[in-house]
């Protein structure tokens, strides 16, 4: 649609701006029609991408996704946060959940979802950025303990995954439950596993990373 502008000549608009039309009723009808058309396209696109979004969230939230065990470092970090909460008499489940969400899902995974160019050699255009922001927002809502009340005036990106978020939240809760069932990891056991992995890795062996890590451990022991 082309709308004239007295100062700069013309402006190009992809969608109608209701407040710029004198006939408000006609503008409302046109806007509603455009919204319905784009809502249909949004739902069709979401259906196409649903499997990929589900696979991504399942990989992140699952403790044993397709045979891959929960990383020991994450198990250790989350157990440490629970220990600190017990130590300081913090028993509010919302606070405990927020600690875990802030330190890993929201601090790390949201950044990776919104910025795939950090990991892959790709160009992220504005359309891709907008789409990934919707996925990232869905991810954040899934990690939240708050209930999101949506209505007819809610943003389309919120409405798009509204029915899926409860399932994603269940995945988060299942991950936390399964993590608690696993045997706690001590600092010494985790350290020996890291050293063992470094010894078995060819590149780490060439750089003598296991030996260097042992030196760091020795120095820290002396300081303490």
């Amino acid at each position: 649609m082309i709308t004239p502008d007295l100062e700069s000549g013309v402006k190009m608009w992809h969608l109608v701006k209701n407040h710029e039309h004198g006939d408000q009723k006609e503008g409302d009808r046109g806007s509603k029609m455009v919204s319905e058309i784009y809502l249909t396209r949004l739902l069709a696109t979401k259906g196409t991408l649903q499997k990929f979004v589900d696979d991504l969230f399942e990989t992140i939230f699952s403790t044993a996704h397709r045979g891959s065990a929960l990383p020991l470092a994450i198990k250790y970090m989350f157990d440490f946060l629970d220990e600190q909460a017990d130590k300081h008499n913090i028993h509010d489940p919302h606070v405990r959940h927020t600690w875990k969400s802030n330190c890993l899902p929201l601090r790390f995974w949201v950044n990776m979802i919104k910025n795939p160019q950090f990991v892959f050699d790709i160009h992220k255009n504005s359309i891709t950025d907008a789409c990934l922001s919707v996925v990232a927002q869905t991810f954040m809502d899934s990690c939240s303990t708050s209930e999101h009340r949506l209505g007819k005036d809610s943003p389309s990106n919120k409405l798009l995954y509204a029915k899926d978020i409860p399932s994603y939240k269940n995945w988060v809760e299942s991950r936390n439950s399964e993590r608690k069932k696993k045997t706690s990891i001590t600092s010494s056991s985790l350290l020996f596993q890291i050293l063992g992995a470094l010894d078995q890795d060819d590149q780490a062996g060439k750089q003598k990373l296991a030996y260097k890590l042992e030196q760091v451990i020795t120095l820290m022991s002396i300081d303490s």
Side-chain angles (χ1 to χ4, degrees):
M1 178 181 177
I2 300 178
T3 57
D5 187 287
L6 297 179
E7 295 182 0
S8 59
V10 295
K11 282 188 176 180
M12 299 291 293
W13 297 104
H14 185 57
L15 296 177
V16 175
K17 286 193 171 183
N18 292 337
H19 64 273
E20 293 187 354
H21 289 76
D23 189 348
Q24 189 65 29
K25 293 184 179 179
E26 185 66 27
D28 285 343
R29 185 167 67 250
S31 177
K32 182 179 180 181
M33 183 175 66
V34 170
S35 298
E36 290 175 351
I37 292 173
Y38 276 90
L39 179 60
T40 303
R41 292 184 181 180
L42 277 174
L43 292 173
T45 304
K46 183 207 174 224
T48 303
L49 299 176
Q50 187 70 52
K51 179 183 181 301
F52 301 99
V53 175
D54 286 347
D55 283 350
L56 172 65
F57 284 15
E58 184 184 0
T59 302
I60 295 173
F61 293 142
S62 177
T63 55
H65 177 68
R66 296 174 183 171
S68 299
L70 177 71
L72 296 178
I74 296 177
K75 164 69 175 170
Y76 179 81
M77 178 174 64
F78 282 7
D79 285 351
F80 172 78
L81 292 175
D82 283 339
E83 290 174 5
Q84 292 301 308
D86 292 336
K87 180 179 179 180
H88 296 282
N89 295 318
I90 299 175
H91 304 294
D92 186 343
H94 175 73
V95 174
R96 290 173 172 246
H97 183 91
T98 302
W99 282 5
K100 300 180 183 71
S101 294
N102 286 342
C103 71
L104 181 66
L106 304 186
R107 179 69 63 180
F108 175 78
W109 281 116
V110 168
N111 207 17
M112 292 297 101
I113 293 172
K114 294 184 66 175
N115 301 285
Q117 73 275 14
F118 290 173
V119 181
F120 304 105
D121 186 15
I122 61 173
H123 170 68
K124 182 184 70 173
N125 57 33
S126 57
I127 295 176
T128 303
D129 181 61
C131 294
L132 292 175
S133 294
V134 173
V135 178
Q137 182 62 54
T138 302
F139 184 86
M140 288 188 285
D141 292 342
S142 302
C143 295
S144 172
T145 58
S146 303
E147 292 296 329
H148 299 276
R149 296 184 178 181
L150 302 175
K152 62 179 182 179
D153 296 325
S154 299
S156 59
N157 64 310
K158 289 275 191 177
L159 297 172
L160 205 56
Y161 283 94
K163 293 183 178 179
D164 303 286
I165 287 178
S167 297
Y168 297 150
K169 284 190 173 186
N170 289 335
W171 289 358
V172 175
E173 291 300 323
S174 297
R175 179 198 61 183
N176 292 334
S177 299
E178 289 298 320
R179 175 189 58 82
K180 292 178 181 178
K181 294 178 183 177
K182 295 181 179 295
T183 305
S184 297
I185 303 169
T186 62
S187 300
S188 58
S189 65
L190 181 62
L191 183 59
F192 282 121
Q193 291 188 49
I194 295 174
L195 288 172
L198 291 174
D199 282 331
Q200 296 174 8
D201 186 88
D202 293 337
Q203 293 297 324
K206 291 178 181 179
Q207 300 179 47
K208 299 181 179 180
L209 296 183
Y211 172 72
K212 292 178 180 178
L213 178 58
E214 288 178 336
Q215 286 185 314
V216 172
I217 297 168
T218 302
L219 290 172
M220 292 178 66
S221 300
I222 295 174
D223 291 339
S224 61

